[in-house]
Amino acid sequence: MDDLQEFARQVFASQPFSQFLGAQLASSGPGTAELRLPIVDQLKQQHGFVHGGVLSYLADNSITFAGGLALGGNALTSEYKINYLKPAVGTLLIARAQAKAAGKRQAVCQCEVFAVKDGVETLCAIAQGTVVSAAG
């Protein structure tokens, strides 16, 4: 398990876009991942809410990490969908994903994205996706 977590940390550290946004891989395990992203003004749209593309990034990346860890290695998103439930406002975003079913080549994963304001987590988006092994 330690090797899998170290692998996840190395992969995350090698993602220029994640580093650019300031995202963090908060935790990972076999079939699970949690990403965190501080909310800053540059991530907001004209109404002061976090832009939907930022929520989408968090959902996609956390789903891919959860699925990749369930599959035991490098992975890519094959498809995903996202439902935006509430505007994201606060100081922090948290995306928690888990593989719901994993086979040899693909994993189906779900993710919940929360905005944290004054210590309270509010569910802002739910996503589901299919992750495939990037090997071969």
Side-chain angles (χ1 to χ4, degrees), residues 3-19 23 25 28 35 57 61 64-66 68-69 72-76 134:
D3 289 343
L4 200 55
Q5 288 180 338
E6 181 56 30
F7 171 75
R9 283 191 287 273
Q10 289 176 2
V11 170
F12 194 81
S14 72
Q15 295 181 337
F17 189 65
S18 294
Q19 303 312 307
L25 177 63
S28 62
L35 301 184
Y57 151 77
N61 210 18
T64 305
F65 265 88
L69 292 169
N74 279 319
L76 299 166

Side-chain angles (χ1 to χ4, degrees), residues 89-110:
V89 294
T91 57
L92 179 69
L93 295 170
I94 301 173
R96 294 186 183 107
Q98 65 180 154
K100 294 297 188 176
K104 290 182 181 180
R105 294 188 202 126
Q106 74 175 23
V108 175
C109 303
Q110 290 181 334

Side-chain angles (χ1 to χ4, degrees), residues 29-114:
T32 66
E34 180 178 302
L35 301 184
R36 292 178 175 231
L37 179 63
I39 296 174
V40 295
D41 286 343
Q42 292 81 356
L43 302 180
K44 297 177 183 177
Q45 42 84 299
Q46 70 277 12
H47 300 292
F49 309 139
V50 175
H51 192 283
V54 176
L55 299 178
S56 185
Y57 151 77
L58 280 174
D60 176 23
N61 210 18
S62 63
I63 281 171
T64 305
F65 265 88
L69 292 169
L71 295 171
N74 279 319
L76 299 166
T77 303
S78 174
E79 63 79 30
Y80 80 103
K81 86 171 286 308
I82 187 165
N83 291 93
Y84 300 105
L85 307 176
K86 291 186 178 183
V89 294
T91 57
L92 179 69
L93 295 170
I94 301 173
R96 294 186 183 107
Q98 65 180 154
K100 294 297 188 176
K104 290 182 181 180
R105 294 188 202 126
Q106 74 175 23
V108 175
C109 303
Q110 290 181 334
C111 174
E112 295 180 326
V113 181
F114 299 88

